[in-house]
Amino acid sequence: MNSFELGSGQPIIENKKPKEINTPEKLALALGYVKLPKEKGDFHWEYRKLVESGITQTFKVQNSKYSDERGVRITLGAIPGSRSEGQRFKEVTLCQDKLFDDDMKAIGLVTRTSAGMFYRPELTPEVYNKLLKYIKDLEESGFFEDLVKPKL
């Protein structure tokens, strides 16, 4: 049945395939981050989003530039909304912080380059989908808010 044959009360349903996440940039955008302009000399792309709690979450991507190993570094961070006593910008690097080692291996990111980056051939669409879920879980658990809490 062609769309012009449908009755006036019937909706037209399109079967759109969700966009495949196959780059760190697409991962950041899928998580709702906004890309910041890149200035000359910057070695990474930065994305940010303001969340309901008042903090700004950051997502940085750095691609290896001079290595044959083809690495990618993903860094997550949080900027407090109001800089009260003890609160400051804090970030963690998924491929270097020991806190994430077991989780990243479970996702499928096992190999690290000599520069301490994820090995790009391991970053498949399946792995990006797992990273998407993992980072969403971090957001829901209050991980980013905990990053900027003052240490007692």
Side-chain angles (χ1 to χ4, degrees):
M1 179 187 299
N2 293 328
S3 61
F4 62 87
E5 294 174 1
L6 292 174
S8 61
Q10 294 178 323
I12 298 174
I13 300 171
E14 292 183 32
N15 290 330
K16 285 190 176 182
K17 186 178 177 183
K19 291 185 179 182
E20 185 176 80
I21 300 173
N22 57 5
T23 66
E25 294 81 8
K26 287 182 182 178
L27 174 63
L29 296 174
L31 287 163
Y33 289 84
V34 175
K35 189 176 190 177
L36 299 181
K38 189 172 180 181
E39 296 187 22
K40 188 175 181 174
D42 283 350
F43 58 91
H44 62 267
W45 291 101
E46 187 170 351
Y47 302 80
R48 291 186 179 180
K49 74 175 171 180
L50 180 63
V51 295
E52 201 172 295
S53 66
I55 68 164
T56 300
Q57 292 176 198
T58 64
F59 184 104
K60 293 180 184 175
V61 177
Q62 180 183 359
N63 291 308
S64 61
K65 189 173 182 180
Y66 303 108
S67 173
D68 292 336
E69 294 179 306
R70 301 176 300 167
V72 174
R73 182 174 293 128
I74 298 173
T75 304
L76 304 175
I79 302 170
S82 60
R83 305 265 174 137
S84 62
E85 188 66 32
Q87 285 189 317
R88 59 188 180 90
F89 173 73
K90 176 84 168 130
E91 60 184 18
V92 294
T93 304
L94 292 180
C95 52
Q96 294 176 339
D97 196 312
K98 299 287 183 208
L99 173 68
F100 302 106
D101 275 352
D102 293 336
D103 294 340
M104 293 301 106
K105 287 178 183 171
I107 286 174
L109 296 169
V110 179
T111 310
R112 300 293 182 272
T113 68
S114 60
M117 297 177 156
F118 291 131
Y119 186 51
R120 185 171 290 135
E122 291 179 349
L123 287 161
T124 63
E126 179 184 346
V127 168
Y128 278 117
N129 285 326
K130 289 178 183 178
L131 274 172
L132 177 73
K133 182 182 178 339
Y134 183 78
I135 295 170
K136 280 184 178 182
D137 289 346
L138 286 177
E139 291 175 347
E140 290 171 9
S141 72
F143 174 80
F144 291 92
E145 286 78 8
D146 290 344
L147 273 178
V148 294
K149 280 186 181 172
K151 304 292 185 220
L152 300 176

